[in-house]
Amino acid sequence: MRDFIFFNPVKVYFGKKCMKYFGNEAKKHGKKALLVYGKGSIKKNGAYHDIVNSLEKAEIEFVEFSGVRPNPVLSHTKEGIELAKKEKVDFIIAAGGGSVIDESKAIAAGAVVDFDVWNFYTGEKTPEKALPLITVLTLPATASEMNMGSVITNEENGLKLSTGAEVLYPKASFLNPNYTMTLPEEQIVYGTVDAISHIVEPYFNHTAEYNILSLNVADGVLKSLKENCENILNEPNNYNFRANHMWSVTVAFNGLIRTGLGRSEFPNHAIEHAISGLFPDVAHGAGLAVVMPAWMRFVKEEKEELLKRFGQNLFKLENHKPDHTIEAFKNWLKSIGAPVSLGEIGIKENDIEKIAEKAYEVMQFWAMDTDKYSKENIEKILTFAL
Ligand code: NZQ
Ligand code: ZN
């Protein structure tokens, strides 16, 4: 087991009645808020209604900033920063999925500095202060509600990069599983795939001992993600499935599972971010469903034992080879309706070169092993996904 520092200050309010605490929590952070959301799904799932009611009761003034798009972009983020500055808000409320929360983190950090917020994403600067952030989650996928990451795309060059800093942890996050009832099936699927990928990246990074707590927790969370996703697709109105799924997704990427596994590289994410940076209509989870089995094929000799463990745990395989795990994983992804080839997400063979170049650039920003992930090898992985 490797040394680690674990820190997670996010206060989580979970459950169907959690919003009764919202007003009191909000009061702790000031008298005027910026309420950030996307296209308007929060007006159909009850989140908007509950937030506005709570703010009015708590006598907190608020300004709305909507239109955050999936795979959020820098230009819209900058509009949010200008508005937060102009309105002199004390704190930010993010209501939606990962895109809304990530853009809200950028607004929270950008509203207290005078330079271009993109500097945080290129690594030229690190956020050292930020406005307080409260999130109301409506889509379990990224765990941004309980981590310090934020991912933004610069539309001018198609670069999708991330930043992370302790000041970006939300102060509190409200997780009401009932808000997820309006999600289209594909968003449940993409969210599940994203959460699985958040475990896959550190899980396969590990090389030494197999019987350590984090891997055992990971096995349990992976099973819960798979089973609850299947259950929700069969019985969408079941609260218990929704609740277990929502919390499993958050636990998948709130830092707990990475403890003791050492520094993980995120090759699947780097390649996916190149895809959705260049093709913004591709959902993050859809891109990952295509990349993950192809990446597993690339590392199957190096990761033989862990691939066997993954197959035994999730698909009850016995006496199997890594290829059987990869095939079972791919078949399962297909069975829940996830894409498993580049063609299914609208990407052609002649796009591979430019995606590989962009992914290589992302990997350099992330200080990854670019000998292992040379442009040629990234192209090889993408070719496995044809
Ligand atoms: O625009 P709205 O109305 O909000 O609709 C959204 C959007 O169209 C909709 N939606 C959300 N909740 C809903 C709902 N529709 C009906 N009912 C509900 N209850 O779902 C669509 C997708 O939303 P989005 O926020 O884009 O999805 P997701 O949560 O998957 O976030 C993806 C973004 O997060 C980044 C991804 O790269 C991508 O940009 N990530 C962030 C991470 C982090 N901060 O830690 C880690 C991840 O690996 C990931 O990179
Ligand atoms: Zn992800």
Side-chain angles (χ1 to χ4, degrees):
M1 189 161 175
R2 316 274 166 85
D3 294 358
F4 64 87
I5 298 170
F6 179 68
F7 174 69
N8 194 313
V10 183
K11 183 165 187 176
V12 175
Y13 294 86
F14 189 96
K16 54 181 98 148
K17 293 189 183 146
C18 68
M19 288 301 282
K20 69 180 179 191
Y21 304 106
F22 188 84
N24 272 344
E25 177 63 43
K27 269 191 209 165
K28 292 183 203 163
H29 307 291
K31 293 195 163 104
K32 187 170 180 183
L34 184 73
L35 171 58
V36 183
Y37 58 95
K39 275 206 199 81
S41 61
I42 60 161
K43 295 194 172 160
K44 295 191 187 119
N45 59 32
Y48 181 83
H49 173 268
D50 293 346
I51 293 168
V52 169
N53 265 355
S54 309
L55 290 176
E56 280 169 1
K57 269 194 208 141
E59 296 181 351
I60 293 170
E61 202 187 327
F62 65 95
V63 182
E64 297 190 23
F65 180 61
S66 63
V68 175
R69 51 156 301 167
N71 301 321
V73 291
L74 185 60
S75 57
H76 191 262
T77 306
K78 287 184 176 172
E79 287 173 32
I81 293 170
E82 286 316 306
L83 186 61
K85 284 182 176 171
K86 184 173 143 250
E87 294 288 340
K88 297 189 172 49
V89 299
D90 302 314
F91 67 106
I92 314 280
I93 299 168
S99 296
V100 169
I101 300 176
D102 283 6
E103 186 168 319
S104 298
K105 286 176 178 172
I107 295 171
V112 294
V113 295
D114 291 327
F115 51 80
D116 187 340
V117 71
W118 186 241
N119 287 322
F120 293 138
Y121 293 80
T122 55
E124 277 154 77
K125 295 209 155 68
T126 307
E128 281 166 6
K129 49 188 177 166
L131 293 178
L133 170 69
I134 300 181
T135 83
V136 178
L137 184 68
T138 65
L139 197 183
T142 65
S144 188
E145 67 280 6
M146 206 180 168
N147 69 37
M148 60 172 180
S150 163
V151 187
I152 296 288
T153 300
N154 183 339
E155 321 93 291
E156 278 176 17
N157 55 17
L159 253 185
K160 184 178 188 186
L161 294 176
S162 54
T163 188
E166 284 183 7
V167 293
L168 297 183
Y169 277 110
K171 296 288 176 215
S173 285
F174 290 77
L175 278 63
N176 180 344
N178 278 328
Y179 295 158
T180 70
M181 295 284 185
T182 52
L183 279 169
E185 245 180 42
E186 81 249 21
Q187 291 297 346
I188 289 288
V189 168
Y190 299 156
T192 306
V193 174
D194 190 20
I196 289 177
S197 80
H198 296 150
I199 298 180
V200 159
E201 306 270 31
Y203 192 95
F204 285 96
N205 176 52
H206 191 67
T207 47
E209 318 122 75
Y210 290 151
N211 195 22
I212 66 171
L213 178 69
S214 290
L215 290 188
N216 293 329
V217 174
D219 284 337
V221 180
L222 283 167
K223 267 197 213 158
S224 176
L225 288 166
K226 175 176 176 286
E227 284 165 18
N228 284 299
C229 173
E230 291 164 358
N231 289 339
I232 292 169
L233 297 180
N234 287 329
E235 223 182 290
N237 296 324
N238 185 309
Y239 175 84
N240 198 37
F241 297 153
R242 295 270 176 180
N244 276 291
H245 187 254
M246 196 175 205
W247 187 231
S248 306
V249 170
T250 300
V251 172
F253 205 35
N254 68 355
L256 180 69
I257 285 174
R258 291 163 79 173
T259 52
L261 296 178
R263 178 184 179 265
S264 341
E265 298 205 315
F266 272 60
N268 294 280
H269 274 74
I271 298 173
E272 197 297 307
H273 284 187
I275 293 176
S276 54
L278 291 167
F279 301 87
D281 291 336
V282 176
H284 177 58
L288 286 165
V290 172
V291 173
M292 269 193 290
W295 173 81
M296 285 176 178
R297 194 168 147 195
F298 176 70
V299 296
K300 70 177 181 183
E301 274 140 31
E302 181 197 337
K303 306 291 180 192
E304 184 174 348
E305 288 309 313
L306 284 163
L307 272 165
K308 284 192 193 163
R309 176 175 174 142
F310 187 78
Q312 186 180 27
N313 174 52
L314 270 191
F315 308 110
K316 301 189 172 63
L317 302 178
E318 295 292 345
N319 302 320
H320 56 295
K321 296 201 169 0
D323 280 332
H324 297 135
T325 296
I326 299 167
E327 200 189 325
F329 186 37
K330 226 170 156 171
N331 286 338
W332 179 73
L333 290 169
K334 282 187 207 164
S335 77
I336 57 167
V340 290
S341 64
L342 288 171
E344 288 169 83
I345 53 171
I347 291 172
K348 300 186 194 67
E349 193 170 356
N350 59 14
D351 295 320
I352 285 182
E353 200 181 329
K354 69 174 177 214
I355 297 172
E357 268 171 28
K358 209 45 101 181
Y360 187 78
E361 222 179 314
V362 174
M363 289 182 185
Q364 284 175 316
F365 277 109
W366 291 358
M368 283 180 54
D369 179 352
T370 43
D371 289 333
K372 180 173 175 183
Y373 294 105
S374 61
K375 277 184 215 161
E376 294 69 33
N377 282 343
I378 302 170
E379 283 184 20
K380 194 170 166 185
I381 296 170
L382 287 162
T383 308
F384 289 153
L386 277 172

